[in-house]
Amino acid sequence: MLRFILAIILLILLFLLSKSVSLEQFTYLKTNPYYPVSMKLNDGDKRRLNVKVDNEIALKQYDYTTLFYNIFLDYNNEHLVFVGPNLLNLKDKYMDFSVIFNGSKTTRSHSKHGAHCFYFKYGVKNVSENNSVEIHINGHKKQVNIAKNNYKCGDRILITKQKNNRSRWLVDWIKHYTNRYNVTNIIIFDNNSDDFDTINNELAQFKHVQFIPYNFPFGIPKLFPSNFLQHSLMEIGFQQFCKDDAYIFNFDIDELLAVDPNHLDSVLSTKNTGYKVNMCWVPMLLDSNDYSFKDFKYKAYNVENKSNKYIVNKRNTKYLSIHHAKTTDKMVNDGGYFLHFKGINTNWKYKRTENSNIDTSTLKKIDDFVNYNR
């Protein structure tokens, strides 16, 4: 009888413990200190669907359950940062929580709620190489270890995302920005690539490149209000990897800057100045399944002053967005452009990889720097 009572008491204690501490929702056993520490919603909660779409499609591609994509220390180790997708219907329930950092309660110093994502920042002191964090939220206690941010950013950093692109393209893309534009740091966020380990091994040759998996639902193609992750990754890159006076290059994995590098240096040498570039499409005309930008021969005849990309200095910039930045930099737009390749895998938005069979007489020969590298 006594054994039975003790067994019942033990089961009750285990049940209470599982309700107060839930570590399975964290991804903190990491091979890389910059891999994300994430957290899901509690109690079976679900984010409401914010677009009109078939439920079966939404179940595969919409993020119903992520609370935080990442919890990390910012570049200067002054704040513990929480970044996640728009809380929508759950904002009132999850907005307020308390944080204990290495045994000391800390207070929230900054917050931002956007249409796609939010962040909260808590001031911290006495940061160690490994830091214990307790989060008390909705009657739950979550506990996680957060590494000190030892990332070293140079003068120019490029932040992008990718999914299922070939190593050959990625290697040449990295070399283009590194060798032609003196980009000192490159952050590539990977979203659920089928061969992450293969690509990761290939990119290990570049000491200035971080290849980081963010395996969350990206959002529903063509329904941009559902693409929470894209905006969140820009915020994470901005706060976690960029030093205060770095120039930030905002170009996607299918975009190749085509400005004369000496001209760009001249523009950026002027204090408080950024650079805005227009877009030129590169149609898909190849039949091969293995190619790089060096294999494309033609581009669109006209440069379009839309879907612009940019380079800004962090010290003058509040936040990044897809085509514009909230910055006080004076943005120079003098006709410079980037090549936008339709033959690169952009699973999240459109399937552009089919041969478009365009009459090449309506196109122009691609830029000399691409031909030179052929």
Side-chain angles (χ1 to χ4, degrees), residues 236-269:
I236 291 168
F238 183 77
Q239 297 202 38
Q240 189 174 16
F241 297 104
C242 299
K243 72 175 183 179
D244 294 342
D245 60 346
Y247 277 104
I248 302 170
F249 284 55
N250 175 38
F251 296 96
D252 291 339
I253 208 71
D254 56 349
E255 298 171 349
L256 217 64
L257 185 59
V259 176
D260 178 82
N262 294 322
H263 176 67
L264 180 64
D265 291 346
S266 177
V267 171
L268 298 183
S269 67

Side-chain angles (χ1 to χ4, degrees), residues 206-369:
F206 301 107
K207 301 305 180 185
H208 66 304
V209 175
Q210 285 287 336
F211 189 59
I212 306 173
Y214 270 76
N215 295 329
F216 304 91
F218 187 84
I220 301 166
K222 301 186 181 181
L223 296 178
F224 300 124
S226 73
N227 297 160
F228 305 131
L229 184 61
Q230 182 174 14
H231 298 261
S232 298
L233 291 177
M234 297 186 79
E235 192 65 60
I236 291 168
F238 183 77
Q239 297 202 38
Q240 189 174 16
F241 297 104
C242 299
K243 72 175 183 179
D244 294 342
D245 60 346
Y247 277 104
I248 302 170
F249 284 55
N250 175 38
F251 296 96
D252 291 339
I253 208 71
D254 56 349
E255 298 171 349
L256 217 64
L257 185 59
V259 176
D260 178 82
N262 294 322
H263 176 67
L264 180 64
D265 291 346
S266 177
V267 171
L268 298 183
S269 67
T270 302
K271 188 176 181 181
N272 301 329
T273 299
Y275 197 58
K276 182 178 179 180
V277 290
N278 304 328
M279 179 189 70
C280 183
W281 281 113
V282 177
M284 178 55 177
L285 301 173
L286 305 177
D287 295 320
S288 169
N289 291 322
D290 184 18
Y291 50 81
S292 180
F293 68 83
K294 302 173 186 179
D295 298 306
F296 289 79
K297 298 180 180 180
Y298 298 95
K299 66 180 181 180
Y301 196 83
N302 294 318
V303 173
E304 301 179 24
N305 188 14
K306 64 179 184 180
S307 299
N308 307 91
K309 288 303 179 75
Y310 57 83
I311 301 166
V312 293
N313 196 294
K314 184 181 178 180
R315 67 170 170 261
N316 303 319
T317 303
K318 189 173 183 181
Y319 62 83
L320 309 176
S321 61
I322 296 172
H323 298 295
H324 306 280
K326 181 67 173 178
T327 183
T328 60
D329 274 342
K330 179 183 178 182
M331 299 302 292
V332 173
N333 185 359
D334 56 9
Y337 61 93
F338 65 93
L339 299 171
H340 198 169
F341 290 79
K342 288 191 176 183
I344 301 307
N345 192 345
T346 52
N347 295 30
W348 312 287
K349 300 177 183 179
Y350 308 101
K351 189 170 180 58
R352 295 173 174 155
T353 54
E354 294 91 348
N355 190 312
S356 53
N357 295 316
I358 296 174
D359 181 359
T360 57
S361 66
T362 65
L363 305 173
K364 293 175 67 174
K365 286 292 183 80
I366 208 162
D367 303 74
D368 287 341
F369 75 85

Side-chain angles (χ1 to χ4, degrees), residues 9 27 31 54 126 131 150 156-157 162-163 169 190-191 205 230 253 259 262 274 304 313 340 350 352:
I9 293 173
T27 310
T31 58
D54 181 85
N126 302 318
N131 303 276
N150 291 316
R156 296 182 176 187
I157 182 170
Q162 86 92 35
K163 179 182 178 73
W169 176 276
D190 182 83
N191 182 235
Q205 63 182 287
Q230 182 174 14
I253 208 71
V259 176
N262 294 322
E304 301 179 24
N313 196 294
H340 198 169
Y350 308 101
R352 295 173 174 155

Side-chain angles (χ1 to χ4, degrees), residues 45-210:
D45 288 338
K46 290 179 64 177
R47 178 178 289 100
R48 70 171 172 81
L49 184 62
N50 70 337
V51 293
K52 292 183 179 181
V53 70
D54 181 85
N55 285 335
E56 187 174 340
I57 294 174
L59 284 173
K60 295 178 181 178
Q61 298 173 309
Y62 184 74
D63 197 329
Y64 284 104
T65 59
T66 301
L67 174 55
F68 303 126
Y69 288 129
N70 196 8
I71 306 166
F72 59 92
L73 286 160
D74 65 6
Y75 185 81
N76 295 315
N77 289 293
E78 295 175 345
H79 300 92
L80 184 68
V81 186
F82 299 76
V83 177
N86 194 329
L87 291 167
L88 296 173
N89 54 303
L90 300 170
K91 183 175 179 180
D92 291 341
K93 181 174 181 180
Y94 287 93
M95 186 171 62
D96 294 322
F97 55 89
S98 59
V99 175
I100 298 174
F101 184 84
N102 288 338
S104 299
K105 188 172 182 179
T106 183
T107 57
R108 187 178 298 176
S109 56
H110 301 83
S111 64
K112 173 190 171 186
H113 295 272
H116 293 85
C117 68
F118 69 88
Y119 71 74
F120 301 130
K121 298 173 72 171
Y122 290 75
V124 294
K125 296 180 179 179
N126 302 318
V127 174
S128 304
E129 287 300 318
N130 292 288
N131 303 276
S132 174
V133 175
E134 283 186 14
I135 306 163
H136 296 258
I137 185 168
N138 303 328
H140 297 260
K141 182 174 74 172
K142 312 295 182 182
Q143 197 162 4
V144 64
N145 294 325
I146 301 294
K148 183 179 181 181
N149 190 345
N150 291 316
Y151 189 76
K152 300 303 179 186
C153 179
D155 293 331
R156 296 182 176 187
I157 182 170
L158 193 162
I159 302 167
T160 195
K161 62 193 182 305
Q162 86 92 35
K163 179 182 178 73
N164 284 339
N165 288 294
R166 299 173 184 84
S167 296
R168 183 183 169 201
W169 176 276
L170 295 172
V171 167
D172 286 344
W173 184 89
I174 289 167
K175 289 180 178 178
H176 170 77
Y177 282 101
T178 303
N179 299 335
R180 185 172 171 83
Y181 295 106
N182 297 318
V183 171
T184 56
N185 301 73
I186 296 177
I187 307 296
I188 303 176
F189 295 117
D190 182 83
N191 182 235
N192 282 306
S193 283
D194 297 329
D195 57 350
F196 175 85
D197 289 338
T198 300
I199 299 172
N200 194 34
N201 290 336
E202 181 71 23
L203 299 189
Q205 63 182 287
F206 301 107
K207 301 305 180 185
H208 66 304
V209 175
Q210 285 287 336

